[in-house]
Amino acid sequence: AAGYPLVISTWKQIKANEAAIAVLKKGGRALDAVEAGVRIPEADTSDTSVGYGGLPDRDGRVTLDACIMDEKGNAGSVTFLEHIMHPISVARAVMDKTPHVMLSGEGALQFALAQGFKKQDLLTPHARKEWQEWLKTAQYKPIINIERHDTIGMLAIDSQGNLSGACTTSGLAFKMHGRVGDSPIIGAGLFIDNEIGGAVATGLGEAVMKTCGAFLVVELMRQGRTPQEACLEAARRITSKQNYKEFQVGYLAINKKGEHGAYSIQPDFNYTLYQNGRNRVIESASFVK
Ligand code: SD4
């Protein structure tokens, strides 16, 4: 189809998309593309919501969540993982090399080390400083579009027309130790159904988990909605029940035809789309204008 290959990412992720596109241009799988793509912000210390350089929890520890899903419905995930720069590749290894979908905390780290991943200190001087600043008041309150919201969710369609997705984050800054968000949860932060489409979420994970966000978006597309309509309805499920004025949630979706959609609760959600040879940042429509 004309719309393939396609890569779409939450927020301004020009370089991540470029890394994914490079894989797709060589005829690679969407799965390899999304893994390569999200590894860019994972290793980028200026991205304070993902991997290395991510802001720590309230105890000063960087704990990471990630998941990946392919066109066959295979999935892998890690939650509450410390000391590994590329949680997405650990999630991929969980998918490829274990009979499980999700590994957490110590067990996930143990598995990563056994797979040859290197143990590293991920707390950068900058993130440590922000944490020490936060400790002065130590008030946990999610603020709209905080953390520059660079958590990355990425969806891709390769030239075969197959879909995959990846999602990786250090989660909410200064969260409680042990807190896990939506991002590593299949059906919440990410869902792929190769017959229908895929979706990813960003923002306050608690709101997304309580509504099975990404799964809901894909199921709505199955019932005939466009990606845009599906994202809007999934956001509406949140705004109709929860006190949405206090937080942000953004959804991105693509369907099998290569159409895309996005919708957020608060303004200022954007995403990066590569399609037909162009890689550009687009502002999402929002519930609150
Ligand atoms: C979480 N959804 O841990 C993530 C945070 C996020 O941009 O998306 N930040 O709840």
Side-chain angles (χ1 to χ4, degrees):
Y4 304 170
L6 172 159
V7 178
I8 193 168
S9 299
T10 53
W11 309 106
K12 294 189 175 87
Q13 295 286 0
I14 294 285
K15 285 186 184 151
N17 274 18
E18 281 169 359
I21 293 153
V23 173
L24 296 179
K25 280 191 175 156
K26 282 184 277 181
R29 275 177 82 189
L31 177 68
D32 294 319
V34 293
E35 181 186 1
V38 305
R39 283 173 62 99
I40 301 296
E42 281 184 340
D44 181 355
T45 54
S46 70
D47 193 319
T48 56
S49 303
V50 184
Y52 189 33
L55 293 173
D57 65 17
R58 64 189 198 182
D59 298 345
R61 294 164 70 164
V62 179
T63 75
L64 307 171
D65 293 340
C67 74
I68 192 160
M69 191 164 189
D70 76 4
E71 77 277 9
K72 296 168 193 149
N74 297 314
S77 159
V78 288
T79 78
F80 190 38
L81 173 64
E82 292 182 80
H83 308 304
I84 302 290
M85 189 181 298
H86 291 296
I88 198 64
S89 296
V90 186
R92 171 89 189 254
V94 172
M95 176 174 102
D96 288 344
K97 297 178 179 163
T98 80
H100 306 306
V101 168
M102 185 178 274
L103 290 179
S104 192
E106 275 300 317
L109 177 61
Q110 218 175 71
F111 170 72
L113 296 176
Q115 290 294 314
F117 288 87
K118 217 168 81 203
K119 189 168 179 178
Q120 278 171 284
D121 181 6
L122 301 178
L123 186 64
T124 56
H126 170 78
R128 182 190 301 274
K129 233 179 94 197
E130 299 254 319
W131 170 59
Q132 281 163 346
E133 205 47 47
W134 175 82
L135 277 179
K136 290 179 185 163
T137 52
Q139 262 180 26
Y140 182 73
K141 189 168 179 289
I143 304 160
I144 293 161
N145 287 339
I146 43 160
E147 310 146 71
R148 281 166 233 109
H149 263 279
D150 302 313
T151 286
I152 186 165
M154 179 183 278
L155 304 167
I157 312 182
D158 58 33
S159 46
Q160 309 292 310
N162 285 324
L163 275 73
S164 290
C167 192
T168 179
T169 187
S170 50
L172 296 179
F174 320 127
K175 61 195 175 186
M176 287 177 71
H177 188 60
R179 181 267 189 189
V180 171
D182 60 316
S183 303
I185 301 192
I186 299 299
L190 170 71
F191 196 71
I192 300 289
D193 183 325
N194 202 45
E195 284 170 26
I196 305 298
V200 285
T202 180
L204 185 71
E206 282 74 5
V208 174
M209 284 188 270
K210 287 188 275 188
T211 48
C212 297
F215 183 72
L216 175 61
V217 172
V218 173
E219 289 307 297
L220 289 165
M221 290 193 287
R222 189 191 309 279
Q223 292 161 22
R225 298 200 205 202
T226 64
Q228 183 66 34
E229 290 164 351
C231 289
L232 187 150
E233 173 60 19
R236 231 183 45 83
R237 293 285 171 94
I238 296 174
T239 56
S240 64
K241 287 206 188 76
Q242 303 182 36
N243 183 15
Y244 64 87
K245 292 191 176 109
E246 299 280 306
F247 61 80
Q248 171 69 304
V249 166
Y251 286 114
L252 273 189
I254 56 172
N255 67 14
K256 201 62 184 167
K257 289 186 249 173
E259 297 167 336
H260 78 279
Y263 201 78
S264 62
I265 295 178
Q266 308 294 341
D268 299 326
F269 173 49
N270 51 40
Y271 58 96
T272 311
L273 173 71
Y274 172 90
Q275 195 171 32
N276 301 321
R278 283 181 70 198
N279 194 23
R280 60 199 167 112
V281 176
I282 302 172
E283 290 299 315
S284 167
S286 58
F287 182 79
V288 177
K289 303 297 171 201

